[in-house]
Amino acid sequence: MSDTITILGLESSCDDTAAAIVRAGTETDILASIVAGQTELHADFGGVVPEIAARAHTEKLDLCVEEALATAGLTLHDLDAIAVTAGPGLIGGVLAGVMTAKGIAAATGLPLIGVNHLAGHALTPRLTDNAGYPYLMLLVSGGHCQFLVAEGSDSFKRLGGTIDDAPGEAFDKTARLLGLPQPGGPSVEREAAKGDPKRFRLPRPLLDRPGCDMSFSGLKTALLRERDKLVSEKGGITEQDRADLCAGFQAAVTDVLAEKSRRALDAYLALDTEKPLIAVAGGVAANTSIRAALETISHEKGADFLAPPLALCTDNAAMIAWAGIEKFRAGSRDDMTLAARPRWPLDTSAAPMLGSGKKGAKA
Ligand code: KG4
Ligand code: ZN
């Protein structure tokens, strides 16, 4: 077998159907990365509807695989293995991906590798920038929020995370409360740019408690209270009120993520890493004010800051193919007994999280 490995990755754990082909040898290339989103399918429901998502994945997976192969100019016989997200996520979608991957593996005889979706995100800095272990990772999206020290392709230490909503979920709910379009993150950020972040002093939950755990659900309730107060006092809210509420909300999320990142960095830096690095992944990492705060803190602490290109920060299959390459190199293989798992914590020694996010049960 040559040292060059070519892997097809499949992703279907939430509301993006994706297939990608990554080739790794002396250099790493993303030969194709196809993502079919489902935003319009769920738009009328104010959130991802699991049954609709699962059906759409079943319809789209084959097409995404065909498109990925065509884009890469390859056939299934040019591949070394199939990697697939086997959890955590919405079970119908994960099942659709696992069954598709099993079908391809059975038909071609190619090895099958089940990948943890969170490991896919957490290993992305190695795909994009060849990051060396150990590095600190902040996963911050509509479904996840956690600090992980990546120590190896199969070794992650969880330093803390949200105990209720993920920040992206809080942005989305805030947008809904203020009549702004989904996804909420970009619309709230746009409004916040016109607002005064100091007018409404929203809470900074859990900052008074030690450690890196976070909470975002109270923030949305506080915002709802402020909105209702304005409505009962003035009969409605003005555009400026809305912008100020968005600015206050964004400032609170930024402050919480910033302070908890400081603490996570301190814990990580105690490991005495030669070239310390903090990397982010997830849609919320697109937020300019959050990104700027994280960058400032990492430089204050003497660590490098890495934000991979947004298309690789949000859900995609290139990260699953890459995690598959790391597992393949480590000799890991699955077979037809590979199970789809709604929950699959990366660090099994960490305390389980409560609640459920956009992606269903939290890992
Ligand atoms: O990673 P992602 O595409 O999907 C998962 O949740 O896995 O993240 C989507 C989330 C949404 O909740 C969206 O509102 C949020 O990321 N988001 C943002 C921004 N852009 C996207 N949140 C804050 N500011 C943004 N600019
Ligand atoms: Zn994700």
Side-chain angles (χ1 to χ4, degrees), residues 138-154:
L138 169 59
L139 263 185
V140 63
S141 71
H144 320 293
C145 182
Q146 50 186 307
F147 292 103
L148 294 164
V149 178
E151 299 165 327
S153 65
D154 203 20

Side-chain angles (χ1 to χ4, degrees), residues 158-184:
R158 190 178 189 286
L159 300 179
T162 184
I163 58 166
D164 41 52
D165 290 355
E169 214 176 338
F171 269 98
D172 294 341
K173 288 180 181 167
T174 293
R176 227 167 283 140
L177 291 176
L178 298 176
L180 295 166
Q182 296 293 319

Side-chain angles (χ1 to χ4, degrees), residues 245-263:
L245 284 167
C246 286
F249 168 82
Q250 182 175 272
V253 175
T254 305
D255 282 355
V256 170
L257 285 170
E259 175 54 25
K260 296 290 177 167
S261 298
R262 254 184 219 109
R263 297 182 197 176

Side-chain angles (χ1 to χ4, degrees), residues 117 121 141 144 315 319 359:
H117 176 85
H121 280 303
S141 71
H144 320 293
D315 284 353
M319 69 179 190
K359 280 190 161 32

